[in-house]
Amino acid sequence: MTTTDVQRAAATALAASAIDLTKTYGAGETAVRALDGVSVGVEAQRFTAIMGPSGSGKSTLMHLLAGLDTPTSGRVFLGDTELTSLSDRQLTTLRRRAVGFVFQAFNLLPTLTARQNIRLPLDLAGRGVDPGWERSVVEGLGLAERLGHRPGELSGGQQQRVALARALVTRPEVIFADEPTGALDSTTGAEVLALLRRSVDEWGQTVVMVTHDATAAAVADRVVLLADGQVAGDIVEPDADDVLEAVRTLGRA
Ligand SMILES: Nc1ncnc2c1ncn2[C@@H]1O[C@H](COP(=O)(O)OP(=O)(O)O)[C@@H](O)[C@H]1O
Ligand SMILES: [Mg+2]
């Protein structure tokens, strides 16, 4: 066993979990049940993909796990803390400390430089920079030469690497990524996936990634399949063929 294997074996803790979650948008005849009884545990220091067709509830599940939205019923835990028992203010404080986000559309602030964007979560949380860690992240993501650039002066792949650096800089308990390669070409997307993978393997981060792409999902340690707001499968150590086969099976169900 390598050191990483030993660390993983020891890391049986759940970084995030959901118990019997439902989420209904709207009311009456136009109500949409986006999640319908989802229970899932996300292991710490692992890369978990949430996969399913468009409209299956992936983003809704991610938003609930990350405390960006509240469920209609059910319970959500980040580590040992029950998010569904916190006030909005407590939730905001916890999110700033413990959660990092990467979105499909990068969501960088256009008037700030790459360095200012990366430090934004620290500024919002009133925390200082850990210079050694910031340097590791910036160099590990190949951004050292780009720190003075604004997002408009960077390629899509570079912008997403800035967004990943921004998610990593606080050393959050969980990084949530929603279709992080959705706006990138396949080569650049593969680079971003490899960096998410490295965040787990080299830096011990916990990553939860939402995707509808089987190739992207296969980079994860585990794939949780969603269909119609329910968990429809769970694949450990997937390869792309396993994921494609599971998706085909879903299609036949
Ligand atoms: N804010 C919202 N208001 C109303 N319906 C929503 C809202 N967000 C999502 N939905 C609906 O909930 C379902 C699940 O959406 P979503 O979680 O975004 O799925 P996915 O990310 O898998 O594409 C879809 O039917 C979608 O139209
Ligand atoms: Mg989505």
Side-chain angles (χ1 to χ4, degrees):
M1 287 215 292
T2 66
T3 309
T4 311
D5 287 335
V6 173
Q7 284 167 346
R8 283 203 174 138
T12 50
L14 293 181
S17 49
I19 302 172
D20 208 14
L21 282 190
T22 70
K23 178 70 178 180
T24 303
Y25 293 108
E29 293 204 349
T30 58
V32 175
R33 177 157 283 220
L35 293 180
D36 187 13
V38 169
S39 296
V40 67
V42 171
E43 286 163 297
Q45 298 181 288
R46 287 260 177 174
F47 190 159
T48 301
I50 298 172
M51 193 181 157
S54 179
S56 58
K58 303 182 297 294
S59 293
T60 300
L61 176 59
M62 191 197 100
H63 290 164
L64 297 184
L65 287 172
L68 287 171
D69 199 359
T70 51
T72 304
S73 67
R75 304 170 77 188
V76 179
F77 293 83
L78 194 67
D80 296 332
T81 306
E82 182 167 3
L83 300 189
T84 31
S85 72
L86 301 181
S87 67
D88 283 352
R89 194 173 162 175
Q90 289 171 316
L91 203 51
T92 302
T93 306
L94 180 74
R95 221 170 32 227
R96 283 184 181 156
R97 181 177 62 70
V99 180
F101 293 100
V102 180
F103 296 101
Q104 176 172 345
F106 318 138
N107 292 15
L108 301 175
L109 292 186
T111 60
L112 301 184
T113 64
R115 186 195 296 280
Q116 289 167 331
N117 268 287
I118 291 167
R119 289 183 176 174
L120 196 60
L122 296 169
D123 294 342
L124 286 172
R127 279 165 62 180
V129 177
D130 173 342
W133 174 240
E134 186 188 53
R135 200 176 317 115
S136 299
V137 167
V138 162
E139 288 176 4
L141 301 187
L143 290 169
E145 313 297 318
R146 298 282 178 267
L147 291 174
H149 292 60
R150 293 196 165 72
E153 300 162 342
L154 298 171
S155 70
Q158 288 166 344
Q159 290 184 62
Q160 197 60 309
R161 284 188 272 140
V162 171
L164 180 54
R166 178 181 61 183
L168 282 162
V169 79
T170 61
R171 287 183 177 265
E173 286 168 34
V174 187
I175 292 176
F176 290 98
D178 194 351
E179 307 272 7
T181 61
L184 303 174
D185 64 68
S186 57
T187 307
T188 312
E191 285 166 15
V192 167
L193 288 171
L195 291 168
L196 284 166
R197 185 69 258 178
R198 270 182 61 201
S199 306
V200 176
D201 294 341
E202 290 180 24
W203 291 328
Q205 286 289 328
T206 303
V207 172
V208 177
M209 175 181 72
V210 163
T211 183
H212 66 272
D213 174 6
T215 313
V219 175
D221 297 309
R222 173 186 173 206
V223 180
V224 176
L225 283 163
L226 281 191
D228 294 329
Q230 299 186 328
V231 175
D234 200 332
I235 312 168
V236 177
E237 305 292 343
D239 63 33
D241 289 340
D242 298 334
V243 181
L244 282 169
E245 179 55 29
V247 171
R248 265 188 231 113
T249 309
L250 276 186
R252 284 198 296 270

